[in-house]
Amino acid sequence: MLKLPGLIDPHVHLREPGATHKEDYDSGTSAALAGGITMVLAMPNTKPPIFDQVTLDLVLASAKKKAHCDYAQFIGAGPENAEMAARLAPYAAGLKMYLDSTFGELRLDDMSLWMPHFEKFPRDLPIVLHSESRSMAAGILFAALYDRPVHIAHISLKEEVLLIRAAKERGIKVTCEVCPHHLFLSKDDIPGISHGHPGRGEVRPRLAEKEDVEALWSNLDVIDCFATDHAPHTLEEKDSNTPPPGFPGVETILPLLLTAVHEERLTIDQIIEKMHTNPKRIFNLPEQPETWVEVDETASYQVKTSQMYSRCGWTPFEGWQVCGQVKRVVLRGQVAFENGKLLVEPGYGKNIREEQNIE
Ligand code: NCD
Ligand code: ZN
């Protein structure tokens, strides 16, 4: 049995408020624990989006009642909330800015709308950017101009990882994450995921070319975090005429990465660095005492939706043979998950920012 520290997923969508038929703090944090994740940072592109005191209070009230694992909630950057977002920063995971189109209403096109956020948001937390290709380059320019940290969400392209390397070499405060689906899938896998329903292959950023996937693997030293971008939508929605983009991911990330370890493409130390040490430092997250994850590195099994806690009811990795299974998760001294069973009640999970502010 291999013992890992509590793993942190800095990018999940829990759909609360407004779309709890897809997921909520209860189902999403249960799924996280089943995946060996003990802390999640939740995105703000909900309905309504989380962008002020009222909406933050709304989501945190649900979270407090429902969460099984520890968590913090992102604030979304809007055209007029820079002051408010900066004021709420101590209670938030960080600030999320959407610079490219995706699911939800939070996109900021005009660069002059980015400026007040870069000026005002506290520098001890990163601004997380959904930014692809050239808008990512613009985001890195902002990090340089304002000399403050930015964290690039879900990079997927060779040009992105190479530009981040160059920016880091020049001392610009940029960090980044990559998602399992951009490491384990390319465009060529879309037909296999779709089974005739093209919406199942839709995700933002889109699945990329094989060459991009290879570039992510060969530049792993530039990649600070593994994050799922757990973006649950129901199978019915994915198969509709207007399929929303997004893949679920919290229950498959660790088995996929452990399979890569088994195949000698990755090391356990890299998993610990990118799912514990680095996210903790980048997002200024507290230690979770008496918290660890036990995995059986030799257990080989098939990924099956029917064994998952997520409410979305599908996974792009259905039927994949993986090697490495989460057996037991201990969270703050309590066995939270063991042999497929969830053992902590809704409400056991703590808002880590609230705890930090009390201290
Ligand atoms: C995300 C979602 O569904 O909320 N979808 C996605 O394809 N990644 C939105 C996002 O992270 O941009
Ligand atoms: Zn996302």
Side-chain angles (χ1 to χ4, degrees):
M1 210 61 87
L2 170 73
K3 200 168 154 180
L4 299 171
L7 302 178
I8 300 166
D9 187 348
H11 191 149
V12 302
H13 298 267
L14 299 181
R15 308 305 187 201
E16 180 125 21
T20 51
H21 65 286
K22 298 175 196 270
E23 201 80 290
D24 70 355
Y25 257 90
D26 181 349
S27 59
T29 57
S30 303
L33 283 173
I37 294 161
T38 56
M39 194 189 293
V40 293
L41 306 185
M43 288 298 162
N45 62 332
T46 48
K47 270 190 181 152
I50 308 307
F51 70 104
D52 62 5
Q53 181 86 59
V54 174
T55 47
L56 183 64
D57 286 348
L58 183 72
V59 65
L60 291 182
S62 301
K64 198 182 189 91
K65 279 186 263 167
K66 296 185 180 181
H68 296 264
C69 74
D70 293 348
Y71 60 91
Q73 173 68 47
F74 278 98
I75 307 268
E80 275 160 3
N81 72 340
E83 198 114 358
M84 172 67 83
R87 198 162 61 71
L88 294 175
Y91 306 94
L95 184 72
K96 178 74 185 283
M97 287 180 73
Y98 290 90
L99 312 184
D100 286 294
S101 65
T102 181
F103 184 70
E105 317 154 17
L106 281 167
R107 175 166 168 188
L108 292 180
D109 278 325
D110 185 330
M111 286 186 283
S112 65
L113 298 175
W114 309 358
M115 291 177 180
H117 289 290
F118 274 80
E119 276 159 22
K120 297 195 166 89
F121 201 72
R123 284 171 155 67
D124 58 344
L125 287 178
I127 295 179
V128 177
L129 302 180
H130 178 137
S131 60
E132 301 179 32
S133 184
R134 293 175 192 190
S135 62
M136 185 203 79
I140 292 176
L141 173 67
F142 268 66
L145 291 178
Y146 289 87
D147 188 29
R148 61 150 305 134
V150 299
H151 178 79
I152 312 294
H154 43 51
I155 69 165
S156 63
L157 302 175
K158 179 177 180 179
E159 59 173 349
E160 292 170 348
V161 76
L162 295 183
L163 193 76
I164 291 172
R165 177 182 291 287
K168 283 186 172 188
E169 281 167 6
R170 280 156 191 78
I172 299 174
K173 297 185 175 79
V174 56
T175 55
C176 67
E177 68 193 28
V178 69
C179 304
H181 48 271
H182 293 123
L183 282 175
F184 293 96
L185 299 170
S186 75
K187 267 197 174 112
D188 303 352
D189 295 302
I190 294 176
I193 298 169
S194 303
H195 301 287
H197 302 277
R200 294 189 199 177
E202 287 290 342
V203 66
R204 297 292 174 278
R206 290 184 167 84
L207 295 179
E209 302 291 345
K210 275 215 166 91
E211 195 190 337
D212 294 301
V213 175
E214 277 158 26
L216 296 178
W217 280 103
S218 55
N219 290 281
L220 276 182
D221 60 318
V222 180
I223 292 162
D224 299 279
C225 306
F226 293 136
T228 62
D229 191 11
H230 179 74
H233 299 285
T234 66
L235 201 52
E236 194 183 347
E237 291 163 337
K238 295 295 281 179
D239 292 353
S240 72
N241 291 330
T242 50
F247 293 166
V250 286
E251 289 168 273
T252 42
I253 182 169
L254 190 54
L256 288 169
L257 294 174
L258 289 170
T259 305
V261 171
H262 185 71
E263 292 165 354
E264 296 181 359
R265 304 164 73 194
L266 193 70
T267 65
I268 294 290
D269 284 348
Q270 285 173 310
I271 296 182
I272 295 172
E273 174 191 79
K274 296 177 202 306
M275 293 194 74
H276 178 77
T277 320
N278 290 346
K280 202 162 146 230
R281 186 193 71 244
I282 293 167
F283 295 94
N284 188 19
L285 302 169
E287 186 71 39
Q288 294 176 293
E290 288 184 80
T291 297
W292 68 85
V293 178
E294 290 170 31
V295 296
D296 182 349
E297 285 172 285
T298 59
S300 171
Y301 69 102
Q302 254 191 15
V303 172
K304 285 200 183 100
T305 301
S306 59
Q307 288 171 1
M308 291 189 182
Y309 283 87
S310 172
R311 205 163 276 163
C312 72
W314 79 287
T315 163
F317 300 105
E318 185 73 41
W320 279 40
Q321 193 71 31
V322 287
C323 188
Q325 191 163 37
V326 178
K327 288 291 178 193
R328 181 185 226 224
V329 179
V330 178
L331 173 55
R332 286 181 279 101
Q334 288 238 19
V335 181
F337 177 85
E338 193 168 27
N339 296 326
K341 289 207 174 59
L342 190 69
L343 298 172
V344 284
E345 295 299 311
Y348 183 71
K350 281 192 162 46
N351 178 352
I352 55 88
R353 290 296 189 232
E354 188 177 285
E355 302 287 308
Q356 281 175 323
N357 287 323
I358 290 166
E359 275 168 310

